[in-house]
Amino acid sequence: MATVPSDDVPELARGIHDMGGLPGGAVDRHEHAVTLWEKRVDALLVLLTRKGVFSVDELRNAIERLGAEAYTSLSYYERWTASIAWNLMQRGVIQADELGKRMAEIEAEGRQ
């Protein structure tokens, strides 16, 4: 099976996440302090995958399905959060209205 070089794939045929073969920009090699909420998201993912609720591949798949606007505007861990929520809703672990209600409560309390 022949493959098409990345340069020859029309931009619309690529997912927003697919940057293979495209020119890259400068790489920021400085570490940033990991925030508490980022640590919590990471821990939540570890727990969910170890318990077999969903796999890392399913996390990646949901991230890759984000629309271009969401993908480019969300941070790395915000993408994880969106994917975790989507996967949990797909499995019936949580309902969208339940999630929205809890998010509103947390926002009203001024917590993150």
Side-chain angles (χ1 to χ4, degrees), residues 53-85:
V53 177
F54 60 87
S55 69
V56 174
D57 292 330
E58 291 168 304
L59 177 86
R60 178 192 48 78
N61 182 272
I63 290 171
E64 291 175 357
R65 290 171 174 256
L66 288 170
E69 185 177 332
Y71 189 90
T72 57
S73 67
L74 296 176
S75 71
Y76 182 78
Y77 282 104
E78 287 172 333
R79 290 180 200 140
W80 277 29
T81 303
S83 177
I84 289 169

Side-chain angles (χ1 to χ4, degrees), residues 3-109:
T3 59
V4 178
S6 300
D7 297 1
D8 297 337
V9 177
E11 190 163 332
L12 292 177
R14 295 174 179 262
I16 188 67
H17 66 282
D18 185 1
M19 298 178 188
L22 297 175
V27 176
D28 180 2
R29 296 184 182 269
H30 295 92
E31 293 290 328
H32 77 279
V34 181
T35 64
L36 179 58
W37 80 267
E38 291 170 328
K39 290 177 184 179
R40 288 177 175 166
V41 169
D42 192 84
L44 180 61
L45 178 63
V46 169
L47 291 171
L48 291 168
T49 56
R50 283 189 182 166
K51 292 289 186 182
V53 177
F54 60 87
S55 69
V56 174
D57 292 330
E58 291 168 304
L59 177 86
R60 178 192 48 78
N61 182 272
I63 290 171
E64 291 175 357
R65 290 171 174 256
L66 288 170
E69 185 177 332
Y71 189 90
T72 57
S73 67
L74 296 176
S75 71
Y76 182 78
Y77 282 104
E78 287 172 333
R79 290 180 200 140
W80 277 29
T81 303
S83 177
I84 289 169
W86 188 85
N87 276 290
L88 292 175
M89 286 186 285
Q90 289 299 302
R91 282 156 186 77
V93 175
I94 191 167
Q95 300 299 314
D97 59 340
E98 180 183 359
L99 178 61
K101 180 181 174 189
R102 185 66 184 125
M103 288 172 61
E105 289 170 0
I106 292 170
E107 186 175 354
E109 294 170 3

